[in-house]
Amino acid sequence: MNEMPVVDAEAGTLLPKISASKVQVFYGETHAIKDVDLKIADRTVTAFIGPSGCGKSTFLRCLNRMNDTIDICRVRGDIRIDGEDIYDPKVDPVQLRAKVGMVFQKPNPFPKSIYDNIAYGPRIHGLSRSKGDLDEIVANSLQKAASTRRSRTGSTSRERACPAASNSGCASRAPLR
Amino acid sequence: MSLPILVFVLLALSVAGYVLGRGKAIASAGGDARKLHSLPNYYGWFGFLVALLPAALVLLLWLPAQSVVIDNQVSAMISDRAAAESSLGLVMSDVERVAEGLNLAVGAGVMSDEQAASIRTEFTDVRERLGEVGVALGSDVTSETLQAAQRYRSMASTGDLLRTLAVVAAALAGLTFVYKRTDSAFRARNAVEAVVRWILILAASIAILTTVGIILSLIFNTVEFFSLYPAWDFFFGLTWSPSFGGGSELGILPLLWATLYISFIALAVSVPIGLFAAIYLSEYAGPAVRAVAKPLLEVLAGIPTIVYGLFALLTVGPLLVDIFGDGGLLGVGWMGGGTAVMTAGLVMGIMLIPFVSSLSDDIINAVPQSMRDGSLGLGATHSETVKQVILPAALPGIVGAILLAGSRAIGETMIVVLGAGAAARLSLNPFEAMTTVTAKIVSQLTGDADFASPEALVAFALGMTLFVITLGLNVIALYIVRKYREQYE
Amino acid sequence: MTDTTAPTGRAGATPARKGSLLQVDALTRKRNAAETRFKIYGLSAVGIGLLFLVALLATILSNGTSAFTQTFITIPVPLEKTEIEAAEKSIVKTSKYRAIIGKAFANVLSSAGVETDMSAKDLDKMMSSGAAASVRDFVLANPESIGTTHTFDLLASSRVDGYLKGRVTRADLVNDKNLDASHLDIVDRLNAAGILQKRFNWQFIFGADASDSRPEQAGIGVSMIGSFFMMLVVLVLSLPIGVAASIYLEEFAPKNRFTDLIEVNISNLAAVPSIVFGILGLAAFIQFAHLPQSAPLVGGLVLTLMTLPTIIISTRASLKSVPPSIRNAALGVGASKMQSVFHHVLPLAMPGILTGTIIGLAQALGETAPLLLIGMVGFIASNVPDGVAAGFLDPNSAMPAQIYEWAKRADPAFYERAWGGIIILLLFLMTMNIIAIILRRRFERRW
């Protein structure tokens, strides 16, 4: 983990969007991440590169406090988003995760229709005032996903967009509503 | 030779087989066990098994065959008149008792063997003389019975002699075979292992035999019942009023209704509690709470059903009457007595809580972690994740668990026997006493009724119905649960 | 690696989201409230389950512990030769003995200063109807005692016992034809004088069942012996058969239809209602094979068939937990498959197998329904079997069947016995389960 590349946020003169200092993560007795310092500027794309198991995901999971869901995992250090400490006791992790989204390594479609899968996030966060709003969000997302897919030839994006209703196997058969 | 002695002789011959096989093998290798194909003990065991198994098989086949042959011969001696007076079976059991009494009398030295074979009812009070050796007979012995008994005795002693000869001959043949077969090149280990393998297969087949036994015993008696009572009336009759004097109405519908009603209440109690408990224990509870609460809940599953039955009869029933009965807390007067559908249903629900919760717990834990992460990563709360992601994913498994719990409830006996009441009734009021399929199986078969009457045989038809329903539920449930497991493996 | 997190709270897209993380917004508050509610539902479900457990155990203990004490009346009875001889010559022997006891009791009363104008017959009602028989048994066993005065501790009748235990109140006795309030006055004074006292009830634990009219004499001992012989049958049959079947299925069975059939059969048999096994036992063992009714042997056979699936399932699990490396190591040094299983896998799996067997036995010990059908109920288990063969073949009851029998009787005095019997049954089950847990803790290996 020590070799994790640290990219300084150099773009812009503003406060960095995300800043981490002296982040430590423990899994039980194992010290998984040691002393990570990092600043990420707003509206930039940042990539973490490293060998398998070096802690990239673990660090990412710190950013929206997904590590809270693992009983034996402890996080130390200071992580700020817009200058606010996300590990402050006053911060609600649910609200934080609405702000800091996360896409996982493995596609994990929920056992629902494609529509409900896409509408899941907006629904729980109350982002739509009406059914029409929701329809629009879903349609937009699907279109965007389709356009990305056209621009790339990989199959990963297709899996992301169409949840294979795990047992049916064929993604295209998953019902839209 | 009596049976225990014969078994002992057979065992002794088998041990001889062990010594013979082992000795011959070592001798054929010139005393050097390393030249043998297998370890010397394998030759011994081969000798043991070859001496024992065929002879034991002969014995096992002989025992029922002999009794069938003797029964046929002796019952031919009993006149139709005597058989018509009572039943042939009763006369035959008298004959057996007299024969047994004569044996005892000879054994006790009260009679000589010849006396036993020659006494006549005309000259001796057989009943009294047998009474002296402790065989009590219900009625005086007729001369016909006595003659049959004497014939029975002589045939039995001839049969026993032949049996001894056959078994010993088989064992000796085995020993000869062992002696001829054993030499240093003989693969004794392979032979012994093949036999052991067959024994293992036999043990595994007992599961099939049990099922076959259940099905046969249900089918034969059910068919007999339907020859005495129309199947249509049984399956679609609305009244259940058995009377051992005849003219019974044996409709299963009231029983089935109460069974389903009670099971429904039991599930209505156990499914929400069990499911929520499982969700809490697997999703929220810390390791400490889990380590305490889970085993404690499972204690409920380990308590015998008779305890729940007593709890229903003596505690829950009176408690419910205090609340819903005449002059009760609510003053509604819905409930007449402690035994009721509600009583049995509630207690059965308590019994099923750990069943539902441990099954659901397994199923919820089988939902992949990635699915939880996905939902939490999107900012869902834990309960939203449970309700909208985990439960839908676990739904098939949970349905399977509920079906299994339902099958348990339908087949449960002691709680309904003690807690539900004895009157068959088609009613919607859950505070009324009703009776179920299992309770009636018990009550129809525990009396002294003879097994030929439709009132007793109906229990087998009820059992058949119960077996088919629960088997159907189990097969479906196990299939669903297995499919569900495979999906996430 | 495609894990990415991105701040999604962009201006414009979600205006409602704007604001500090340190302030929880209204929607989140609402959702958190729902979260708390949901958690409370779960917690209360666990609580209700545990509450039921506590209620059940409390009921058992509060109703059952009184069965372990019993009221005795201490009476010195003069055993006069002439009276005893007259009694032995009479046809109704015990009633003569009753008269002897009644006289002695009257003496006790007057010497304790209890004045009563009650007839001897009425006074007799305070004593168990089994009292006379126990005096007679003593006399027959100790003929040298004739002519002396022997002090007996005789059982009080169940009503008197119930009064001292608080089960019977004065109000209950208004309609009772056996006892009335004046009896209870005498009881109170005798109790104060120490002539009548409660003692630990060994007879309940080791004694035999008694008929309907003598609940004070009923004990669970004989049916305990019946249960013991049944468990012997179950253990001797189900352990070897279960282990053999599991070894075949786990180690040798080829993947074919026959194996599938066996597997499906076992999992279904595990879920067949127990009463169906009772029907099987009735039809196969009693109707067809003519084995004796009510015999622990038959009960044991039925329970064996019932517990086999449980034992097979747990045995297979413990065989499966032995790692393949053990088998390979044995095969590698030239052992046959059979040798590798019997020399290595089976001994390693043994703790798990024993644990499963004990749990199966515990299940069988508490099972009642199938026993009802093979006649192990409705039978008064009044004699201790004399010998091992009689233990297997003579009619007997079993603990749960005995409890059921008591629960069905009309006299509430038997209910106390039933609860007491449950305490004993649960103690047995608890011991078995604790042994199983200890076995598992001490010997189970994690690979």
Side-chain angles (χ1 to χ4, degrees):
Chain A
M1 188 55 231
N2 296 332
E3 286 78 36
M4 182 158 157
V6 176
V7 181
D8 261 316
E10 286 167 314
T13 52
L14 292 161
L15 200 69
K17 187 76 185 170
I18 300 175
S19 68
S21 67
K22 300 221 177 281
V23 175
Q24 324 262 354
V25 180
F26 301 87
Y27 284 113
E29 296 296 300
T30 324
H31 197 167
I33 291 183
K34 293 174 187 154
D35 277 344
V36 171
D37 289 297
L38 175 79
K39 289 192 180 67
I40 297 173
D42 201 5
R43 290 163 212 270
T44 54
V45 174
T46 308
F48 296 165
I49 303 168
S52 160
C54 74
K56 304 176 293 287
S57 300
T58 304
F59 182 73
L60 278 179
R61 290 167 68 96
C62 293
L63 297 185
N64 67 350
R65 292 181 60 175
M66 277 300 283
N67 283 333
D68 289 17
T69 61
I70 301 170
D71 283 338
I72 55 163
C73 185
R74 281 170 300 131
V75 179
R76 298 261 175 75
D78 186 66
I79 302 176
R80 285 170 188 277
I81 293 180
D82 292 334
E84 289 171 339
D85 180 5
I86 62 167
Y87 282 87
D88 190 293
K90 274 182 275 178
V91 171
D92 188 297
V94 167
Q95 201 178 333
L96 170 72
R97 286 179 204 142
K99 205 168 164 169
V100 185
M102 183 164 186
V103 179
F104 291 87
Q105 188 170 3
K106 225 179 95 195
N108 40 26
F110 303 130
K112 300 162 176 286
S113 67
I114 295 178
Y115 180 94
D116 285 334
N117 261 282
I118 297 166
Y120 183 68
R123 255 192 197 139
I124 56 176
H125 294 300
L127 295 188
S128 59
R129 255 158 259 109
S130 66
K131 183 88 178 69
D133 272 7
L134 207 56
D135 286 350
E136 205 184 306
I137 295 175
V138 172
N140 265 335
S141 316
L142 282 173
Q143 260 159 21
K144 278 186 199 157
S147 62
T148 342
R149 180 175 154 211
R150 248 176 270 124
S151 65
R152 288 203 253 153
T153 43
S155 63
T156 35
S157 63
R158 188 183 146 242
E159 275 175 50
R160 202 86 36 85
C162 314
S166 357
N167 53 354
S168 79
C170 176
S172 57
R173 258 197 276 144
L176 196 58
R177 256 158 227 240
Chain B
M1 220 184 274
S2 75
L3 193 57
I5 299 180
L6 182 58
V7 170
F8 184 76
V9 167
L10 181 53
L11 284 177
L13 285 173
S14 313
V15 173
Y18 183 92
V19 176
L20 179 75
R22 197 171 188 277
K24 173 85 195 298
I26 292 181
S28 71
D32 185 358
R34 282 175 302 175
K35 288 186 184 153
L36 293 174
H37 168 268
S38 317
L39 290 173
N41 279 350
Y42 279 106
Y43 292 92
W45 282 116
F46 178 71
F48 182 87
L49 291 172
V50 171
L52 177 68
L53 291 181
L57 191 68
V58 168
L59 183 59
L60 279 183
L61 293 178
W62 190 287
L63 287 176
Q66 179 177 334
S67 74
V68 166
V69 169
I70 293 181
D71 262 19
N72 279 339
Q73 294 266 333
V74 173
S75 57
M77 286 177 68
I78 292 165
S79 63
D80 293 343
R81 192 182 46 79
E85 267 173 33
S86 48
S87 76
L88 187 61
L90 284 179
V91 177
M92 279 306 291
S93 74
D94 260 6
V95 169
E96 275 166 40
R97 278 186 74 85
V98 173
E100 185 194 330
L102 290 174
N103 280 339
L104 271 174
V106 173
V110 183
M111 278 184 220
S112 72
D113 220 6
E114 294 81 47
Q115 273 177 320
S118 60
I119 51 167
R120 288 281 170 270
T121 45
E122 290 82 0
F123 309 120
T124 330
D125 186 350
V126 177
R127 188 180 176 192
E128 191 185 319
R129 293 198 59 177
L130 292 183
E132 286 165 21
V133 290
V135 178
L137 293 176
S139 59
D140 269 334
V141 181
T142 64
S143 81
E144 198 177 295
T145 312
L146 182 66
Q147 278 170 15
Q150 283 162 342
R151 173 110 174 100
Y152 184 95
R153 266 195 81 218
S154 76
M155 284 191 68
S157 71
T158 322
D160 286 358
L161 184 68
L162 289 177
R163 183 180 72 191
T164 307
L165 289 179
V167 170
V168 172
L172 289 177
L175 287 181
T176 321
F177 179 74
V178 171
Y179 187 75
K180 284 198 164 160
R181 194 76 184 76
T182 307
D183 56 43
S184 61
F186 175 57
R187 302 185 169 188
R189 194 189 69 211
N190 304 32
V192 170
E193 287 185 351
V195 174
V196 171
R197 198 187 163 100
W198 274 105
I199 294 175
L200 296 184
I201 293 179
L202 213 66
S205 321
I206 285 188
I208 295 182
L209 280 181
T210 309
T211 309
V212 170
I214 289 176
I215 292 174
L216 285 185
S217 56
L218 288 173
I219 284 185
F220 276 125
N221 289 296
T222 305
V223 166
E224 205 174 325
F225 170 68
F226 284 140
S227 70
L228 295 170
Y229 191 88
W232 176 267
D233 291 358
F234 173 71
F235 284 116
F236 299 98
L238 291 177
T239 0
W240 173 271
S241 62
S243 67
F244 280 97
S248 312
E249 282 188 85
L250 304 168
I252 195 178
L253 287 181
L255 307 183
L256 217 48
W257 162 245
T259 304
L260 296 178
Y261 202 172
I262 291 176
S263 306
F264 173 77
I265 294 177
L267 289 181
V269 172
S270 61
V271 170
I273 297 181
L275 197 56
F276 267 113
I279 290 172
Y280 184 80
L281 288 178
S282 62
E283 296 289 325
Y284 288 100
V289 176
R290 212 175 137 81
V292 174
K294 222 176 133 114
L296 276 182
L297 272 185
E298 270 156 25
V299 168
L300 279 177
I303 292 177
T305 52
I306 176 75
V307 180
Y308 286 104
L310 209 64
F311 188 57
L313 176 71
L314 299 179
T315 309
V316 176
L319 189 76
L320 288 179
V321 172
D322 283 348
I323 299 172
F324 298 103
D326 273 330
L329 268 180
L330 298 180
V332 281
W334 288 336
M335 205 168 170
T339 56
V341 167
M342 192 51 123
T343 313
L346 269 181
V347 175
M348 208 186 278
I350 297 176
M351 183 190 80
L352 289 177
I353 289 173
F355 191 75
V356 174
S357 84
S358 67
L359 276 177
S360 318
D361 197 36
D362 290 352
I363 285 156
I364 288 172
N365 282 332
V367 174
Q369 185 62 32
S370 67
M371 226 175 245
R372 286 185 185 83
D373 282 352
S375 172
L376 292 173
L378 278 172
T381 64
H382 210 138
S383 63
E384 284 162 351
T385 307
V386 169
K387 279 185 280 193
Q388 300 186 34
V389 175
I390 295 177
L391 285 186
L395 193 64
I398 289 171
V399 169
I402 293 173
L403 286 183
L404 277 182
S407 135
R408 268 282 176 95
I410 289 173
E412 173 49 44
T413 310
M414 295 321 293
I415 295 177
V416 291
V417 165
L418 287 170
R425 200 175 275 135
L426 270 172
S427 158
L428 276 173
N429 181 359
F431 294 100
E432 247 180 298
M434 293 184 211
T435 192
T436 67
V437 174
T438 49
K440 281 298 134 184
I441 293 177
V442 170
S443 69
Q444 297 310 105
L445 284 182
T446 45
D448 280 331
D450 78 283
F451 282 131
S453 71
E455 286 77 17
L457 284 173
V458 69
F460 292 98
L462 291 176
M464 187 86 199
T465 318
L466 179 72
F467 181 69
V468 169
I469 294 176
T470 51
L471 187 73
L473 280 177
N474 292 339
V475 169
I476 297 172
L478 290 173
Y479 176 79
I480 294 177
V481 170
R482 202 171 59 209
K483 273 272 159 277
Y484 168 75
R485 291 251 159 84
E486 281 166 4
Q487 176 187 332
Y488 290 122
E489 252 163 23
Chain C
M1 192 75 198
T2 50
D3 284 5
T4 49
T5 66
T8 51
R10 283 164 305 188
T14 51
R17 291 279 124 219
K18 231 182 161 186
S20 167
L21 272 174
L22 296 174
Q23 274 155 12
V24 178
D25 60 37
L27 179 67
T28 311
R29 251 199 301 278
K30 211 174 106 196
R31 286 170 60 202
N32 281 342
E35 170 79 13
T36 315
R37 249 178 292 142
F38 190 76
K39 209 166 153 180
I40 288 172
Y41 295 150
L43 192 59
S44 45
V46 176
I48 291 172
L50 295 181
L51 188 78
F52 281 140
L53 178 66
V54 170
L56 190 59
L57 294 181
T59 315
I60 293 170
L61 285 179
S62 68
N63 288 312
T65 36
S66 61
F68 292 91
T69 56
Q70 194 68 37
T71 310
F72 289 89
I73 309 179
T74 312
I75 305 174
V77 182
L79 303 168
E80 277 165 38
K81 197 168 190 286
T82 48
E83 282 183 351
I84 302 238
E85 273 170 0
E88 282 301 322
K89 273 186 196 131
S90 143
I91 303 171
V92 278
K93 299 184 177 78
T94 47
S95 78
K96 297 285 180 200
Y97 278 96
R98 290 190 92 134
I100 301 176
I101 299 168
K103 217 164 65 186
F105 187 37
N107 286 338
V108 168
L109 288 182
S110 63
S111 63
V114 181
E115 303 273 325
T116 175
D117 49 0
M118 225 176 264
S119 69
K121 201 165 166 235
D122 267 355
L123 282 177
D124 194 48
K125 285 177 182 165
M126 293 174 58
M127 233 169 307
S128 162
S129 52
S134 56
V135 171
R136 178 166 181 252
D137 288 346
F138 175 81
V139 172
L140 292 184
N142 307 288
E144 74 281 357
S145 68
I146 296 176
T148 62
T149 298
H150 190 269
T151 307
F152 287 94
D153 287 331
L154 296 173
L155 278 170
S157 77
S158 71
R159 295 273 189 321
V160 173
D161 183 52
Y163 174 65
L164 286 192
K165 287 172 181 167
R167 185 180 68 237
V168 176
T169 61
R170 279 169 191 261
D172 294 337
L173 291 180
V174 174
N175 297 320
D176 195 289
K177 60 183 188 312
N178 285 320
L179 285 194
D180 52 43
S182 56
H183 282 108
L184 297 184
D185 295 335
I186 301 178
V187 169
D188 283 338
R189 301 188 54 181
L190 286 178
N191 195 16
I195 292 168
L196 195 132
Q197 66 222 198
K198 279 199 293 182
R199 260 193 250 145
F200 192 77
N201 189 5
W202 290 108
Q203 186 168 4
F204 174 64
I205 302 176
F206 297 111
D209 188 17
S211 68
D212 266 358
S213 58
R214 287 175 288 140
E216 67 276 0
Q217 260 195 330
I220 202 168
V222 174
S223 51
M224 219 188 274
I225 294 173
S227 278
F228 172 74
F229 278 106
M230 269 180 5
M231 288 305 111
L232 272 187
V233 176
V234 176
L235 181 65
V236 166
L237 290 178
S238 66
L239 183 60
I241 295 178
V243 170
S246 318
I247 288 181
Y248 177 72
L249 291 175
E250 204 54 50
E251 307 283 342
F252 294 102
K255 262 261 154 260
N256 60 18
R257 288 209 151 178
F258 181 68
T259 311
D260 277 353
L261 185 68
I262 294 179
E263 304 226 359
V264 170
N265 252 301
I266 289 173
S267 51
N268 276 325
L269 278 180
V272 165
S274 58
I275 185 104
V276 172
F277 285 97
I279 296 182
L280 169 70
L282 178 68
F285 297 135
I286 293 178
Q287 269 186 326
F288 181 72
H290 293 293
L291 291 174
Q293 262 206 339
S294 318
L297 175 68
V298 180
L301 287 174
V302 173
L303 294 181
T304 301
L305 295 182
M306 213 189 77
T307 36
L308 259 182
T310 321
I311 293 184
I312 292 179
I313 290 170
S314 71
T315 304
R316 289 187 66 179
S318 40
L319 287 175
K320 210 177 273 174
S321 73
V322 176
S325 59
I326 302 274
R327 295 175 183 82
N328 292 338
L331 294 177
V333 294
S336 69
K337 176 90 180 149
M338 197 68 82
Q339 284 170 323
S340 81
V341 170
F342 279 92
H343 295 170
H344 300 285
V345 179
L346 193 57
L348 288 174
M350 218 53 205
I353 294 174
L354 289 183
T355 309
T357 308
I358 293 173
I359 289 171
L361 279 185
Q363 197 186 40
L365 183 63
E367 191 55 62
T368 324
L371 302 183
L372 302 186
L373 295 193
I374 56 168
M376 296 195 75
V377 82
F379 170 81
I380 295 186
S382 54
N383 291 311
V384 180
D386 47 356
V388 176
F392 286 116
L393 293 172
D394 280 5
N396 203 332
S397 189
M399 275 195 279
Q402 182 71 68
I403 293 167
Y404 169 71
E405 184 60 29
W406 283 334
K408 272 194 332 179
R409 290 190 188 167
D411 191 337
F414 279 111
Y415 295 162
E416 172 198 281
R417 306 271 144 171
W419 288 114
I422 283 177
I423 293 183
I424 294 183
L425 181 63
L426 288 183
L427 280 180
F428 273 104
L429 295 181
M430 214 170 76
T431 318
M432 292 169 91
N433 279 295
I434 288 175
I435 292 174
I437 290 171
I438 291 175
L439 264 180
R440 182 154 39 198
R441 289 259 164 88
R442 287 202 64 175
F443 297 106
E444 196 176 52
R445 252 184 240 211
R446 298 241 167 249
W447 301 95

